[in-house]
Amino acid sequence: NPKLQKPLSAFSDAMTRLAKYITTENNKMGELSSGGPSMSTIIRNKIQNEFDEEDVEQLRRVLPGCAELLGLGPRRPSLFCPSSYADKVALFRSAPQLGSAKRRLRVSLTLAGKESIARMHYAVRRLLKIICSQLKGVVLLIDDLQWSDAATLDLLKSIVLDGEIPRLLIVGAYREDEVPEK
């Protein structure tokens, strides 16, 4: 049932198609005509330079189909970011003497609500800026908007209002007769 889609699934599907295009189609062409690295390598390197571990973890959770594009190599470490949630919990429980560092960790562990959503929106917008700045143009087709959840619509609004993402066109499609009444 399309009404039971998980949050952000329509956007995640569109980003997965874009990531697959970048990693497969551009790799078919191999190196650029100038002899440099492929477009997917350039984008992956820019992502690795721009994002810290925490940002990439969050992007992988929201956009699991983009894992290959996000890369698996070493990342710029977060200011205070153990590599996983489990590591954070273990560090928090085993280090009562950390004082202010433990308080910062507690804040990191409880990061939720609007701040977490804003951070995710910001990470997605930065990812799109990197991708779109390297391609001649990007069209994201978001289909079945009538079934989209509030999280998807809020993210799309954040992207559209950004104004700094070059060469991006977002096309939304919906079935008017299936739009839920509110």
Side-chain angles (χ1 to χ4, degrees):
N1 183 347
K3 292 181 184 179
L4 300 177
Q5 289 181 353
K6 65 182 186 172
L8 300 172
S9 63
F11 182 77
S12 179
D13 291 347
M15 288 297 292
T16 296
R17 288 189 300 274
L18 176 60
K20 283 184 180 171
Y21 168 77
I22 292 168
T23 57
T24 58
E25 294 301 316
N26 280 303
N27 281 339
K28 286 180 187 175
M29 292 182 265
E31 293 184 349
L32 298 176
S33 58
S34 64
S38 69
M39 190 57 62
S40 61
T41 301
I42 292 169
I43 291 171
R44 194 175 297 114
N45 289 342
K46 287 185 178 287
I47 290 168
Q48 285 198 329
N49 290 333
E50 174 73 20
F51 292 100
D52 63 28
E53 293 174 21
E54 197 170 358
D55 291 332
V56 171
E57 263 186 53
Q58 187 173 41
L59 285 170
R60 282 192 182 124
R61 281 191 304 273
V62 174
L63 306 171
C66 295
E68 185 179 349
L69 185 63
L70 294 171
L72 302 172
R75 308 230 160 273
R76 182 171 51 86
S78 235
L79 183 61
F80 192 74
C81 178
S83 62
S84 72
Y85 180 81
D87 291 344
K88 290 177 185 179
V89 171
L91 179 63
F92 183 76
R93 289 185 178 149
S94 66
Q97 71 279 8
L98 285 178
S100 68
K102 187 173 178 180
R103 283 191 292 280
R104 283 194 310 260
L105 183 56
R106 183 180 297 134
V107 169
S108 175
L109 285 171
T110 59
L111 185 65
K114 291 181 181 179
E115 186 176 341
S116 178
I117 291 167
R119 183 181 175 115
M120 182 269 296
H121 285 191
Y122 182 61
V124 170
R125 290 193 319 265
R126 287 173 34 219
L127 176 63
L128 281 169
K129 285 176 192 174
I130 289 170
I131 292 169
C132 294
S133 67
Q134 297 303 312
L135 300 174
K136 291 182 181 178
V138 173
V139 177
L140 280 181
L141 172 63
I142 314 292
D143 197 13
D144 291 326
L145 278 172
Q146 73 274 10
W147 304 123
S148 291
D149 58 294
T152 298
L153 299 176
D154 289 344
L155 176 58
L156 290 172
K157 180 179 177 182
S158 171
I159 293 166
V160 169
L161 293 177
D162 184 283
E164 293 183 19
I165 302 172
R167 301 180 290 275
L168 174 65
L169 173 65
I170 297 178
V171 178
Y174 68 96
R175 293 179 185 93
E176 189 174 338
D177 59 328
E178 294 182 26
V179 175
E181 298 208 15
K182 291 184 180 181

